[in-house]
């Protein structure tokens, strides 16, 4: 069977070489394509640049080829944008033209070919999904409704860490407890549900399936089948696993969360809007016929991937930087003690009165951007950018990390120095008012979750620093901050052990 496949693949490969040469000859005459390394037939630049197109490798390419460059990855065109002005052009000025998303064979499976919101093309479906999700998730009213819940979750983290004798001596992997907290923060909003402990069996199943989903989607392992379609048959095993994970995951959302909420809604009067959780609003939209049952499931899927890990990674990076910069940690603690009073636990409204805390968060999101290339954009039709022709359906990567870490635009960008956001960069906000700093993107496809992420970051980091001295484990001077990137994600490679010494007030 595999021999037949191989024969077919080789024949297909030969045919593709002929077609690719013919097409490139024709195209080369007509189009003014962005610069980039010279492609070879069929493979394009894939063999030259490899699989790992992370933010650092792409910034090296940008230094060689310029602020806009084209990579041919097999059959796919990949355009990399590396200047603030071109980023603004893609995300804002030509936001409609470049407002779609590329998917690939794996994302097609996990999103039901774009029945979700994050990976759907720019158009009617996206507009409807974004509108339906705004009221239940992305308004200040939601923040006010749930902030007490986030404060409660952070207080429970503090209590659990204080109760663990290991935390103050040999240290603990703090991330594990913070992960439970982030699930609870989001599951309270979505389903009015929380998980009692890290051992809760439902939480364990959910975490395992979400973890598998992220690993499978962010891996580079399947690139070959995505770039060179005739090799796709070799991906059958991989795609089968993706389909199984997807089915099991959506079934879990349905059986344990959505059905329960539907049953509650049928027994309880839901006319009191105050008692509604996000999914009740989404189910209302389904009842009205605005979206279907699958769309509801994909909304739950999107929140699970877009909200929980991204915020958790940012918290984890902030802690790592604060442990490695004790003087910054102490300065933050002094601000909390001075503004709030020693031991007075930070709440959401306080976060606005703490400029150094805000600066620490901004600096973490600058140096350690969770989504350093944004979520890939795409132009549905042929377009023009920076004086070049961009063929339809190109994948557009905006290297937001490089925009925020390019020494031409920032003073000593490699340093973790929150002070920059109180001094020379005091006017720069995370919401995208400056195109050099776009940790949440900007424009139509920008992150709507910023409104929740920033207060959650403030409350969590604030409470940890108020209540503990955070240190590396015994015998270690610094935490290892090596990075692990994926298709477009960035997190810390090693989930460090951290010593949390309780403060006495
Ligand atoms: C620190 C935490 C977070 C970071 C750094 C982050 C970053 C981003 C980025 C860079 C994008 C893509 C922007 C673009 O492609 O132009 C994005 C999209 C998105 N984010 Fe976030 N995000 C975070 C938290 C959240 C949270 C808490 C939620 C939900 C509650 C959320 C929901 C979304 C959604 C739904 C999209 C897709 C928007 C669209 O395609 O229209 N994010 N996020």
């Amino acid at each position: 069977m595999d021999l037949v496949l191989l024969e077919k693949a080789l024949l297909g490969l030969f045919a593709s070489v002929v077609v690719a040469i013919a097409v490139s000859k024709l195209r080369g005459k007509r189009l003014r394509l962005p610069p980039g390394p010279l492609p070879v037939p069929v493979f394009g630049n894939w063999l030259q640049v490899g699989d790992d197109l992370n933010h650092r490798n792409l910034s090296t390419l940008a230094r060689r080829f310029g602020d806009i460059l084209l990579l041919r990855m097999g059959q796919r065109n990949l355009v990399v944008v590396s200047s603030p002005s071109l980023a603004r052009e893609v995300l804002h000025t030509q936001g409609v033209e470049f407002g779609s998303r590329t998917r690939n064979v794996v994302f097609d499976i996990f999103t039901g070919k774009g029945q979700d919101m994050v990976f759907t093309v720019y158009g009617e479906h996206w507009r409807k999904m974004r509108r339906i999700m705004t009221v239940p998730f992305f308004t200040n009213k939601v923040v006010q409704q749930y902030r007490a819940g986030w404060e409660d979750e952070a207080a429970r983290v503090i209590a659990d860490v204080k109760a663990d004798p290991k935390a103050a001596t040999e240290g603990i992997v703090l991330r594990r407890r913070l992960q439970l907290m982030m699930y609870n923060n989001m599951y309270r909003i979505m389903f009015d549900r929380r998980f009692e402990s890290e051992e809760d069996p439902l939480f364990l199943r959910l975490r395992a399936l979400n973890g598998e989903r992220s690993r499978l989607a962010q891996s580079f392992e399947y690139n070959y089948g995505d770039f060179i379609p005739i090799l796709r048959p070799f991906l059958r095993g991989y795609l089968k696993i993706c389909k199984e994970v997807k089915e099991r995951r959506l079934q879990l959302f349905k059986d344990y969360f959505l059905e329960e909420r539907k049953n509650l809604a049928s027994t309880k009067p839901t006319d009191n809007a105050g008692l509604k959780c996000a999914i009740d609003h989404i189910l209302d939209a389904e009842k009205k016929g605005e979206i279907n049952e699958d769309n509801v499931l994909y909304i739950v899927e999107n929140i699970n991937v877009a909200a929980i890990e991204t915020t958790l990674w940012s918290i984890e990076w902030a802690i790592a930087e604060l442990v490695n910069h004790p003087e910054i940690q102490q300065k933050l603690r002094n601000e909390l003690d001075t503004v709030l009073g020693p031991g007075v636990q930070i709440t959401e409204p306080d976060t606005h009165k703490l400029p150094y805390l805000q600066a620490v968060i901004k600096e973490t999101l600058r140096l350690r951007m969770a989504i350093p290339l944004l979520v890939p954009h795409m132009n549905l039709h042929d377009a023009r950018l920076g004086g070049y022709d961009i063929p339809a359906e190109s994948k557009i990567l905006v290297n937001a990390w490089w925009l925020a870490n390019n020494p031409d635009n920032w003073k000593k960008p490699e340093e973790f120095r929150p002070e920059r956001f109180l001094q020379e960069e005091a006017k720069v906000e995370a919401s995208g008012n400056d195109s050099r700093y776009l940790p949440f993107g900007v424009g139509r496809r920008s992150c709507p979750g910023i409104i929740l992420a920033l207060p959650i970051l403030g409350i969590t980091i604030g409470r940890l620093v108020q209540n503990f001295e955070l240190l590396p484990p015994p015998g270690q001077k610094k935490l290892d901050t090596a990075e692990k990137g994926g298709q477009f994600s960035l997190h810390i490679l090693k989930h460090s052990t951290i010593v949390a010494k309780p403060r006495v007030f």
Side-chain angles (χ1 to χ4, degrees):
M1 182 62 192
D2 271 348
L3 273 180
V4 177
L5 264 181
L6 191 67
E7 194 183 309
K8 276 192 185 160
L10 287 174
L11 267 175
L13 205 65
F14 176 73
S16 314
V17 174
V18 176
V19 173
I21 293 173
V23 168
S24 72
K25 289 238 150 97
L26 281 174
R27 280 202 155 170
K29 279 186 195 140
R30 281 191 295 115
L31 300 180
R32 185 167 183 253
L33 296 171
L38 204 63
V40 299
V42 180
F43 298 102
N45 305 117
W46 181 33
L47 302 177
Q48 293 148 281
V49 295
D51 272 330
D52 187 0
L53 296 174
N54 69 53
H55 54 292
R56 290 184 197 273
N57 293 343
L58 290 182
S59 63
T60 308
L61 284 173
R63 272 185 299 240
R64 204 167 134 211
F65 294 103
D67 291 339
I68 175 166
L69 65 97
L70 174 74
L71 296 175
R72 297 266 320 161
M73 305 302 280
Q75 282 212 345
R76 301 217 182 242
N77 285 320
L78 202 152
V79 174
V80 186
V81 165
S82 308
S83 79
S85 59
L86 284 172
R88 183 148 284 270
E89 182 83 14
V90 167
L91 303 172
H92 187 74
T93 322
Q94 295 204 61
V96 172
E97 287 81 348
F98 291 103
S100 287
R101 301 271 191 220
T102 40
R103 294 187 303 267
N104 57 36
V105 282
V106 169
F107 281 92
D108 266 351
I109 293 174
F110 287 121
T111 66
K113 296 205 167 144
Q115 292 186 63
D116 66 331
M117 192 261 247
V118 181
F119 288 97
T120 196
V121 295
Y122 183 76
E124 262 320 299
H125 176 69
W126 171 79
R127 247 189 302 277
K128 193 166 58 182
M129 292 287 268
R130 188 127 174 173
R131 175 175 54 75
I132 288 168
M133 287 173 78
T134 297
V135 167
F137 288 107
F138 306 128
T139 64
N140 195 42
K141 202 170 158 204
V142 177
V143 175
Q144 294 318 316
Q145 190 178 339
Y146 288 99
R147 72 163 179 92
W150 305 334
E151 289 153 16
D152 172 50
E153 292 299 335
R156 289 173 191 253
V157 172
I158 305 299
D160 284 355
V161 175
K162 279 188 180 163
D164 186 344
K166 274 203 320 207
T169 52
E170 62 201 85
I172 53 168
V173 181
L174 199 49
R175 172 197 156 86
R176 291 204 190 117
R177 182 60 186 82
L178 291 167
Q179 189 177 38
L180 174 67
M181 180 201 79
M182 266 318 295
Y183 269 85
N184 283 342
N185 282 348
M186 294 316 300
Y187 271 69
R188 279 181 145 183
I189 301 180
M190 263 196 292
F191 296 108
D192 199 12
R193 283 272 298 261
R194 65 182 302 280
F195 306 99
E196 200 49 50
S197 80
E198 286 171 63
E199 283 76 44
D200 183 317
L202 186 56
F203 170 66
L204 287 174
R205 281 175 67 188
L206 195 58
R207 193 182 65 175
L209 282 170
N210 278 342
E212 265 304 273
R213 189 281 196 203
S214 293
R215 191 188 63 75
L216 289 163
Q218 291 294 337
S219 163
F220 302 114
E221 253 177 84
Y222 62 85
N223 275 359
Y224 70 92
D226 182 44
F227 296 159
I228 302 176
I230 54 154
L231 297 180
R232 210 158 286 169
F234 294 103
L235 268 186
R236 265 205 310 238
Y238 195 90
L239 299 184
K240 187 163 165 267
I241 298 173
C242 293
K243 280 182 196 141
E244 280 164 11
V245 168
K246 175 239 173 108
E247 291 304 330
R248 280 166 51 212
R249 197 163 154 262
L250 294 193
Q251 201 60 45
L252 187 78
F253 294 151
K254 201 166 158 182
D255 293 349
Y256 287 87
F257 299 98
L258 282 166
E259 287 304 324
E260 181 192 76
R261 209 57 219 173
K262 276 188 190 164
N263 292 341
L264 268 180
S266 61
T267 53
K268 249 198 208 167
T270 48
D271 51 356
N272 182 350
L275 291 179
K276 274 187 173 183
C277 62
I279 220 63
D280 298 337
H281 290 270
I282 307 292
L283 289 170
D284 282 352
E286 185 196 342
K287 263 196 221 131
K288 283 191 224 151
E290 292 183 282
I291 49 173
N292 63 31
E293 198 185 346
D294 283 345
N295 299 140
V296 175
L297 277 171
Y298 286 113
I299 287 177
V300 177
E301 121 75 26
N302 276 180
I303 296 292
N304 271 272
V305 285
I308 296 176
E309 290 294 325
T310 44
T311 314
L312 182 63
W313 294 334
S314 306
I315 296 172
E316 208 179 356
W317 278 124
I319 294 170
E321 293 296 354
L322 290 170
V323 168
N324 286 350
H325 297 88
E327 67 296 346
I328 294 174
Q329 188 184 145
Q330 189 51 43
K331 195 166 163 186
L332 175 57
R333 192 170 292 118
N334 290 345
E335 180 184 73
L336 288 156
D337 284 357
T338 314
V339 176
L340 307 179
V344 179
Q345 302 295 304
I346 180 176
T347 60
E348 185 275 329
D350 300 326
T351 59
H352 308 283
K353 300 185 282 190
L354 296 157
Y356 198 66
L357 173 65
Q358 297 293 348
V360 166
I361 293 170
K362 283 184 191 170
E363 182 67 343
T364 304
L365 296 172
R366 183 192 67 80
L367 190 62
R368 308 296 193 175
M369 240 175 236
I371 320 275
L373 305 172
L374 307 184
V375 179
H377 283 239
M378 187 261 273
N379 52 315
L380 269 178
H381 309 289
D382 288 340
R384 297 270 301 165
L385 184 65
Y388 294 103
D389 292 308
I390 310 295
E393 300 194 2
S394 295
K395 177 172 176 174
I396 316 286
L397 294 180
V398 174
N399 194 346
W401 178 84
W402 179 236
L403 304 181
N405 286 272
N406 182 343
D408 291 346
N409 298 330
W410 297 79
K411 207 164 111 184
K412 296 198 179 154
E414 69 289 352
E415 282 180 9
F416 184 79
R417 186 173 60 88
E419 285 72 10
R420 76 178 78 242
F421 286 106
L422 303 173
Q423 296 164 8
E424 74 270 20
E425 309 293 358
K427 292 206 174 78
V428 178
E429 298 295 340
S431 54
N433 68 337
D434 185 317
S435 305
R436 293 170 306 146
Y437 184 64
L438 304 172
F440 295 94
V442 70
R444 290 166 181 76
R445 297 307 290 255
S446 67
C447 177
I450 183 176
I451 195 163
L452 312 181
L454 291 178
I456 291 175
L457 286 170
I459 294 166
T460 311
I461 296 163
R463 291 240 177 166
L464 286 170
V465 172
Q466 273 187 306
N467 289 287
F468 301 105
E469 197 183 336
L470 302 165
L471 302 158
Q476 218 173 296
K477 277 215 171 74
K478 292 224 178 234
L479 299 182
D480 181 350
T481 54
E483 299 172 340
K484 168 109 176 87
Q487 295 274 345
F488 53 83
S489 64
L490 178 71
H491 53 87
I492 200 163
L493 177 65
K494 293 191 185 125
H495 303 308
S496 307
T497 297
I498 286 159
V499 172
K501 280 202 175 139
R503 292 177 69 208
V504 186
F505 296 106

